[in-house]
Amino acid sequence: MTDEASQDAATRIADTGRQVVAAAETLADLAVLETTLLGKKSELSLARRSLGSMEPDQRKEAGAAFNATREALGDAIEARRAELADAELRATLDAEALDLTRYVEPVERGHVHPVTATRERLEDIFVGLGFEVVEGPNLETDWFNFGALNIPAHHPARGMHDTFHLDVGEPGEYVLRTHTSPVQIRHMRAVTAHRGGPPIYAVMPGRVYRNERTDATHLAALHQLEGLVIDRQITLGHLEGTIDTFIRAYFGSEFETRFRPSYFPFTEPSAEVDMRVPGGEWLEIAGCGMVHPTVLRNGGIDPEEWSGFAFGFGIDRLAKMRHDVSDIREFVANDVRFLSQF
Ligand code: DAH
């Protein structure tokens, strides 16, 4: 081949080569094309063999032309390879994509039970006031549930608690707790043992049990929230301020409270708390009082040094009042039409 013929060949090989490379549709086709265009048996390689028979000057120019073609084809192949690889990846991703929503029946979202939500809201209010949240067991001994709270055997106050007695231990030894007040004793003892004593600022929520007929205002398994504060020089004023603050935080700042003298064996003096919107009806919502010295002693705390107050109310009852539910049994009937309103 002459120098001119070689240059023509180089140009033609480059042009046709670029066209077939651009037309390649798969990576596999491109790999075959690469061998055909640049391999040992390619037209380009064969044409280069004629370089050996040329004059040095001509060989130089023809060689440069072949090299340029080789480079141009190499670049074209790499560019096409990148395009095809990208397209094939996209196709794979599209083919393998999973739309999980296509296989799931739409379900309604649930939410926490209104009594649980109430309990959490109450806990939040008291935590905001600096109280800790403490829990105790539902299965109690007679002593923690009654005796330690200044309610000895045959005390008339036991008649107010219709108790579920359990068929374990000595007869009468175990009960399902009838109130959260025994957690006061457990917590006082724990604080004395582990922190060396008061101060105590705690609320104790949980389920309690009453062996009685249920009606629109009574449940046999209900929830209470107990409060206990023990510190130096705690007075009735602190008790009233705490209850008032909490009622207004939970029901609204327009609510007011009043305290009526009452009787509980574990507090002295004792009171019942009523609340209302101004001009409205007074509703009884809690029992409370200054912790009885005997109760402090049973909790391992010296009544000469410390004093405090306690209170207890029904969580379900508060939820009932706040949401204006006419029958408290709705909370345990598990009717979604009722529950979904909250
Ligand atoms: N334990 C009482 C009950 O279940 C409620 C109660 C009243 C709790 C007065 C107290 C309190 O802590 O001081 O009926």
Side-chain angles (χ1 to χ4, degrees):
M1 248 202 292
T2 66
D3 171 24
E4 249 171 61
S6 297
Q7 300 220 20
D8 288 350
T11 306
R12 185 178 42 78
I13 291 171
D15 289 347
T16 53
R18 270 199 289 259
Q19 281 174 35
V20 289
V21 165
E25 279 183 2
T26 65
L27 286 170
D29 288 353
L30 190 64
V32 173
L33 261 183
E34 186 171 24
T35 311
T36 312
L37 293 172
L38 301 174
K40 282 197 189 93
K41 292 179 189 154
S42 64
E43 192 184 356
L44 185 62
S45 297
L46 296 175
R48 280 174 74 100
R49 290 200 190 145
S50 64
L51 290 175
S53 59
M54 290 183 190
E55 294 301 310
D57 272 6
Q58 294 194 339
R59 186 193 300 155
K60 206 176 157 198
E61 284 186 23
F66 286 132
N67 285 343
T69 292
R70 169 169 277 278
E71 209 169 294
L73 286 180
D75 289 349
I77 288 170
E78 277 323 305
R80 186 62 185 151
R81 179 171 282 139
E83 277 173 22
L84 289 176
D86 198 49
E88 284 187 16
L89 178 62
R90 256 166 225 287
T92 308
L93 290 178
D94 284 348
E96 294 180 359
L98 279 182
D99 178 3
L100 295 175
T101 62
R102 278 168 37 195
Y103 305 103
V104 180
E105 293 292 319
V107 284
E108 264 181 66
R109 280 182 75 170
H111 58 74
V112 293
H113 190 278
V115 172
T116 307
T118 302
R119 170 184 164 159
E120 287 174 354
R121 189 176 291 140
L122 297 173
E123 288 178 7
D124 283 351
I125 293 172
F126 281 104
V127 167
L129 291 173
F131 285 59
E132 61 186 320
V133 179
V134 180
E135 285 181 287
N138 288 20
L139 168 57
E140 263 302 4
T141 63
D142 182 272
W143 189 77
F144 273 107
N145 195 78
F146 295 117
L149 291 160
N150 206 23
I151 317 175
H154 311 301
H155 191 285
R158 289 199 180 209
M160 291 159 49
H161 296 233
D162 301 283
T163 311
F164 283 111
H165 290 277
L166 291 165
D167 203 3
V168 268
E170 297 291 309
E173 191 179 358
Y174 289 103
V175 299
L176 286 178
R177 66 179 179 191
T178 58
H179 51 175
T180 42
S181 300
V183 191
Q184 287 187 33
I185 305 292
R186 291 185 176 275
H187 189 51
M188 284 191 269
R189 293 178 154 225
V191 164
T192 300
H194 301 296
R195 294 184 205 156
I200 293 173
Y201 291 81
V203 285
M204 296 152 257
R207 185 172 286 162
V208 307
Y209 306 84
R210 297 283 172 92
N211 189 1
E212 62 183 8
R213 190 186 296 275
T214 60
D215 60 31
T217 54
H218 294 88
L219 291 173
L222 55 144
H223 300 84
Q224 288 189 336
L225 188 126
E226 192 83 14
L228 179 67
V229 165
I230 311 283
D231 208 334
R232 291 181 207 279
Q233 273 143 33
I234 293 293
T235 68
L236 263 178
H238 296 119
L239 168 58
E240 294 193 13
T242 304
I243 299 263
D244 195 58
T245 302
F246 138 72
I247 292 296
R248 287 189 291 113
Y250 181 64
F251 286 99
S253 55
E254 70 276 22
F255 276 79
E256 52 191 22
T257 48
R258 78 175 178 194
F259 291 71
R260 274 183 297 115
S262 185
Y263 171 76
F264 297 103
F266 33 91
T267 42
E268 181 58 37
S270 303
E272 221 120 12
V273 185
D274 301 333
M275 66 162 210
R276 68 167 183 185
V277 272
E281 215 185 308
W282 286 107
L283 297 166
E284 184 186 316
I285 56 139
C288 63
M290 302 305 290
V291 182
H292 195 288
T294 302
V295 173
L296 286 174
R297 258 184 242 109
N298 287 333
I301 291 171
D302 181 1
E304 300 295 324
E305 191 180 349
W306 305 96
S307 60
F309 63 78
F311 57 83
F313 50 79
I315 296 175
D316 322 71
R317 238 176 84 89
L318 286 194
K320 176 182 183 295
M321 289 160 80
R322 171 149 172 171
H323 299 294
D324 219 356
V325 173
S326 56
D327 191 327
I328 202 167
R329 290 169 294 188
E330 295 275 19
F331 286 129
V332 288
N334 268 343
D335 186 330
V336 203
R337 290 168 303 179
F338 170 77
L339 294 174
S340 61
Q341 298 176 89
F342 296 90

